[in-house]
Amino acid sequence: METKIWVVDKFVDKYELYPQISQAAELLRAGEVVAFPTETVYGLGANAASSAAVKKIFQAKGRPSDNPLIVHIADYDQLGQIAVDIPDVAQTLIERLWPGPLTMVLKKRKNVVCEEVTAGLASVAVRMPAHPVALALIRESGLPLAAPSANRSGKPSPTSAMHVLADLNGKIAGIVDDGPTGIGVESTVLDCTTDIPTILRPGGVTKEELEHLIGRVHVDAALLNEKEKPKAPGMKYTHYAPRAPLTIVEGTSGFLQQLVDEQRALGKKVGVLTTEERQLTYRADAVISCGKRSDLYTVARHLYDALRAFDEAEVDMIYSECFPNHGIGTAIMNRLKKAAGYRVLYEK
């Protein structure tokens, strides 16, 4: 299969001037799979009502079939078509945070989205992306789009069209290229079917922001203890991993450098994931910054790009610094722990 690439510009006003959007939408209506940008990462979209189309997502990604997908919508009429009995807390968040990087798990309307989207659950995950190209594509297609991240399953999520092409060239019909994404980590997933809303995945909207708007919010036990069984089926899988094994280091820069020196003495090619403030601190085969420690939103934005850069550097192993586990740092550490398979070394 030839993977087409359509380059668009999010800073224009009238998307009807872009035949690229129409061409991509036509392929979606024909049951094909198309990657497109959102404000978080690139998504891999298909008609959420078509089993045949959604199965192509799983095939292209190599994604387990019990891992539900998020449905992306462009207007509130689409929400009413796929979800029912929307609680007051969800309505409040819709009014304040949509469009935006918040996915809500709601009770699904029967016989609209296909069973493959929800993995047979009675709920459906929905979000409205805050990206003009994504919204234009959804509107032009006239479809709710099931759309996980547009990467091979388990690999770092794509924050550029080139990442998508590297993973999925020849496996999908096309890519709408709008340059790099903004937030860099996926949306927060909030289960609104529980008495107290529960965060199933931290992301672009923080727990603190949610509680400011709706009061008390639970966190899924599996996010606090990796030995707990996650409530969301897809959360049990390893994600975001570069090719080389990654280990998180909880300790001083001197301790991390000691670990690097020990491995290099054994002939290993070692990478270090750090920030701009400490990039000159380390001696290793590849020292890669993922942003500024003083501004964790820059770390979120560049994290996946940095993890992919270690593949290009062809290192044998990677050590990563830790980040504060609050605010957007919670999402950063969640992704790093997943990428590391929860390997953490602590300085004694």
Side-chain angles (χ1 to χ4, degrees):
M1 174 188 296
E2 178 188 357
T3 298
K4 298 180 181 179
I5 300 178
W6 303 277
V7 178
V8 298
D9 181 354
K10 64 172 167 249
F11 297 108
V12 301
D13 293 327
K14 299 191 178 189
Y15 286 97
E16 58 267 24
L17 300 178
Y18 273 113
Q20 299 97 315
I21 295 289
S22 296
Q23 292 167 14
E26 184 177 355
L27 284 174
L28 287 167
R29 288 192 296 271
E32 296 297 340
V33 176
V34 172
F36 61 93
T38 76
E39 78 279 24
T40 57
V41 300
Y42 273 72
L44 188 60
N47 180 1
S50 167
S51 292
V54 170
K55 285 177 181 177
K56 292 180 181 180
I57 292 178
F58 289 98
Q59 291 166 359
K61 284 178 63 69
R63 182 184 176 102
S65 60
D66 66 342
N67 194 347
L69 306 179
I70 295 171
V71 179
H72 291 60
I73 62 173
D75 59 56
Y76 300 106
D77 287 342
Q78 285 183 316
L79 176 63
Q81 292 166 9
I82 62 177
V84 295
D85 301 333
I86 298 171
D88 291 342
V89 290
Q91 291 286 5
T92 297
L93 295 174
I94 287 168
E95 292 169 7
R96 299 294 297 275
L97 296 178
W98 274 14
L102 175 65
T103 294
M104 285 183 284
V105 177
L106 304 166
K107 183 179 179 180
K108 74 175 180 181
R109 189 179 293 279
K110 292 182 180 180
N111 302 321
V112 180
V113 299
C114 64
E115 287 294 302
E116 288 79 5
V117 168
T118 61
L121 300 174
S123 57
V124 60
V126 191
R127 94 174 183 99
M128 185 183 293
H131 194 292
V133 172
L135 294 173
L137 181 62
I138 297 168
R139 292 189 186 109
E140 183 68 20
S141 70
L143 304 168
L145 297 182
S149 55
N151 57 295
R152 288 291 292 176
S153 189
K155 295 300 181 183
S157 298
T159 54
S160 74
M162 292 303 99
H163 293 162
V164 181
L165 193 65
D167 282 5
L168 300 177
N169 188 21
K171 298 178 182 296
I172 62 176
I175 304 169
V176 180
D177 180 359
D178 180 53
T181 59
I183 294 173
V185 294
E186 296 86 348
S187 61
T188 300
V189 177
L190 184 71
D191 187 353
C192 293
T193 67
T194 54
D195 292 336
I196 298 175
T198 302
I199 294 175
L200 304 182
R201 180 181 72 187
V205 176
T206 67
K207 180 176 184 285
E208 293 84 351
E209 290 170 326
L210 292 170
E211 291 189 325
H212 177 72
L213 293 174
I214 61 173
R216 189 179 176 192
V217 171
H218 278 167
V219 176
D220 185 14
L223 296 177
L224 304 174
N225 182 356
E226 61 270 18
K227 294 181 181 179
E228 292 281 344
K229 181 180 179 181
K231 183 177 180 183
M235 297 299 106
K236 67 187 177 183
Y237 295 106
T238 300
H239 297 283
Y240 323 116
R243 283 197 289 268
L246 169 69
T247 301
I248 299 168
V249 179
E250 179 78 65
T252 63
S253 56
F255 175 56
L256 194 154
Q257 184 63 56
Q258 178 186 331
L259 296 171
V260 171
D261 291 342
E262 291 172 354
Q263 294 300 321
R264 294 181 82 194
L266 297 173
K268 300 287 188 180
K269 189 175 180 181
V270 184
V272 173
L273 179 65
T274 182
T275 57
E276 289 183 16
E277 292 92 336
R278 300 181 184 178
Q279 193 166 14
L280 298 180
T281 301
Y282 299 106
R283 302 177 306 279
D285 298 284
V287 180
I288 295 175
S289 166
C290 56
K292 297 180 180 179
R293 183 168 290 272
S294 59
D295 182 0
L296 291 182
Y297 282 92
T298 66
V299 174
R301 189 176 306 128
H302 299 294
L303 178 62
Y304 293 141
D305 194 40
L307 291 176
R308 285 176 177 267
F310 286 113
D311 289 349
E312 297 174 10
E314 298 183 337
V315 296
D316 298 312
M317 58 192 310
I318 306 162
Y319 290 114
S320 172
E321 294 182 336
C322 278
F323 296 92
N325 201 11
H326 58 78
I328 194 66
T330 302
I332 293 167
M333 287 305 299
N334 171 263
R335 302 320 191 262
L336 276 176
K337 287 179 180 178
K338 288 276 192 179
Y342 297 96
R343 287 184 298 272
V344 183
L345 288 178
Y346 298 91
E347 184 173 12
K348 297 180 181 179

